[in-house]
Amino acid sequence: MKVELFSFQEGALEDLRMKTAMALGYYRKTNSPQVVSFTAPTGAGKTIIMTALFESILFGSDNFPEQPDAIFLWISDSPELNEQSKIKVETKSDKITLGQTITIEHPGFDQEVFDDGHIYFLNTQKLSVSSNLTITGDGRQHTIWETIANTAEEKSDRFYVVIDEAHRGAKQEDQNRQLTTMQKFIKGSPSDRLPVMPLVIGMSATIERFNKLIANVDSSTHRTIISVDDLRESGLLKDKIVITYPDDDIQNKDMAILQAATDEWKSKWDHWYQYCVEQHYSHVNPMFLIQVENRSGNRISKTDLDASLETIERRLGEKFKPGEVVHAFGDTTSDIVINGLSVPYIEPSRIDDDRNIKIVFFKESLSTGWDSPRSEVLMSFRSASDITYIAQLLGRMIRTPKQMRIMVDESLNEVAVFLPYFNQESVEEVIDNLQSSEGQELATDVEGHSLNDPSKEVWSIRPTCRMPQSTTDSPSQVTNTEHESSTETPGRETSIGTDTPTVPETHQEEDSTRQVKPFIDITENNDEFDMFRPETVELEEYDFDNQPTEREKVLKFINESGLLNYTVKTVNMKDYLPSMYDLVRFLNQTNIAPNVMDEVYEQIVNDIRNYIVKLETSGQYNKLSDDVMAFRLSTSIYDVFGEEIFEQNGEYGFYMATDIDIERQFKQAERQLGNQGIGQRYLEKYYDEDNPNQSRIDVILFVVDEASQEQLEIFARDTFHELSDQYRVYTTKLNEELQKRYERIVSSSDKVSERNLRLPEQFYESILDHKDGTPFDNHLYLNSEGVARIKLNNWELDIIREEEQRDDFVFWFRNPSRKPSSLTIPYFDERHSKPMYPDFLIIRKDPVLEYVIDILEPHSPDYDDNLPKAKGMAEYANNNPGIGRIQLIRKLTSGRDRNKYVRLDLSKSAVRESVRNISSPDQLNQLFHDYGESDS
């Protein structure tokens, strides 16, 4: 594969491979049709996983031999879905060639059976009674039904039918028709002379939807399921979809909302540009999608397209160039003219690859089966009656452009949607529809707010850059007047780079109800900046050496301190051997430990040699070597039908193996060792010209020995932990993409895995903006007004007030719960590891380190989890010698010190040791009495 699978995808791939092999084996034994159900939420990468499955079947894997004559038939419900799936297979696989992927079309396709080793794509529209593919004559000798039936009969041992049920159309009548057609492959169709397919792999977004597909079917069903939690942890999806709708009293709703959407889109450009410059990435080029109404008489759309584009251009202050605006109207593929600009048609599957595209006008063509991670903002002119279309479209926009969560700027983890003809009630219906269409908990949060609702606001460590206000006193009076540059207003910082040049401030009238995120306002007379930055960035143009603010220094200190953070999962996703290989390659490629890969691989080669020497010393080698030559070794290698090879009393046959047989066994052993070239390294070191097969047999013997494989897994586990502990702190100097890759690697095999705490530069978080909250100006993150309004309970507020009185106090941070950037401490409760999220981080001055970080957790003694959390905090403190205080805090409720707060500081070794040795809440209470401290 050209792309690296996430751990949850690798786990799903391994499970799918095993179950497809077993299903094929069951069919061979019982002649009973088999169904493999592959269920995964929207955005999990089902097509990528299926591509990896095709590679695994055609070319072999660690546990299965290659099946180069395998045939795949991929069925979806539209030509566009077929094309997009075909493109993904071709572009993401590094083994499948273009000649192996074939779209079944008329004219041109007329075969008795499908060819071996090929992947065919067919859509249900071509299976209708009126389709030329379903009838003979005019030179056609075989119907498509005959081709499928013949292949199923003659090549049932290698024929895989894939039904893409995950991307069905929106209209109910279309869904019913497509469902009936797809069921023919599972139930058979006597009228089409189509038998039940031997093996069907069904892709679906929900278990419920696939159950509907296989209702009343006698086939045996095997299931592979990806959970929502697995997808959330991966960073493949945006954190949030934010839907904006107008207030009831707003006039000219569509243009008011369109201007707000344009502001949001321009802000996305600025934020992505800053991020990509700082991280040295190619630019994302975020797109603006505009969904318009259907035809009205002779007009191509009831929506005024000219006025829409003119509004956007006036708001931005610049005209678009040819090729930057396109349309994907399904009812015409001709170029159209919008506001004097020639706007070409583009197929939806080609949109994301064209980096020049900035705006896409469409109607319904993008609602299913289409992906574009660059789509950051959607404006829809559809009415509130089109709720289903809107909900389906949102599911296509939630993939992240960089395939990871952005840590330094949380605004880039959101998708913005603007609906001028919706209100609070209909937006809530969209959210409910999106939920029900997924049939399960969504992997992305969805929230809605009105245009005048100020709750959505950026929080930053740079609060000095004040947000510009919208252009009028009331959104109901928004016009298309061009912005004017003001020479009287002081310059402000833009969002280009860490420290940025100054540009003229846009003259805007104040609006206290609506705050728009910052954007560079460009007029036709301003030549200093282009509206959109070029993809290739010259970093030398900008000055990044200005003095950072105190908050920037603190954030840098936190993110480079190597402070431990944890990921807590319920299951292991990956064995240690592949995880160890991933880690040593990463350390080698990033030059953190350039020799570690050779050292680890050499150790495994030595282990193989030591095992062979042991066999030779004990006199067992010759007999086992003969067994290899006679195919009499028992192994855990599977054939293409999911059955273990050599399972018949340890013998597969009594004929002598040829050189080709030995080479095949050697390649299988190489796969078992992880396909890292370990076997080849052994051959290069111990090759014997007089007996060229001996070194291959050595590797085979090592792999089939169960004890040796157990020791290899132990070595991989220990090495994985040793290397991650040793080099974790060095990863803080890497760019964000590499840090995220490191986190994925170290979290792949352990239920509880270590990573570095890394806080973003800005984010949106509702707990920091409560209308009844207490205003703070010493919180690490502030809004545009330089305050943080945070709602705290009495305990929490008292603790913060005590901290503020300290001479060395600098800032504090409210740690959010269950966020990717949250500080997470694991603790053990009722036989399971669980995550806890301490309430506060306190940043204090330190004469040696410059800063020190404290962790405070006010916690009522009435809760049953006090003792396990105290033990978890003690263990955390033990593993973080650079931490300041780490305190469990409670309030006294009786005695002369009643209402005082007592702090148990687990950073102190005596307290930690005592906590480790206690086993009851009463003993913990005694420790508070013996070691508790009070700041008052």
Side-chain angles (χ1 to χ4, degrees), residues 32 189 216 261 407 478 486 501 660 685 693 720 746 768 772 874 884:
S32 172
S189 176
N216 303 317
M407 297 298 295
V478 173
S486 170
I660 294 177
K685 190 170 184 178
N693 279 330
F720 176 79
V746 298
L768 301 180
D772 298 325

Side-chain angles (χ1 to χ4, degrees), residues 98 152 263 327-328 350 394 770 782:
L98 295 180
D263 292 346
H327 78 86
R350 307 287 180 179
L394 297 186
H770 198 286
L782 303 176

Side-chain angles (χ1 to χ4, degrees), residues 283-310:
H283 197 45
V284 167
N285 294 14
M287 287 192 300
F288 188 2
L289 304 184
I290 302 176
Q291 187 179 35
V292 300
E293 299 168 284
N294 290 334
R295 282 184 175 272
S296 177
N298 294 327
R299 296 170 57 189
I300 195 170
S301 172
K302 187 178 178 181
T303 304
D304 191 335
L305 303 182
D306 291 336
S308 299
L309 188 57
E310 181 184 13

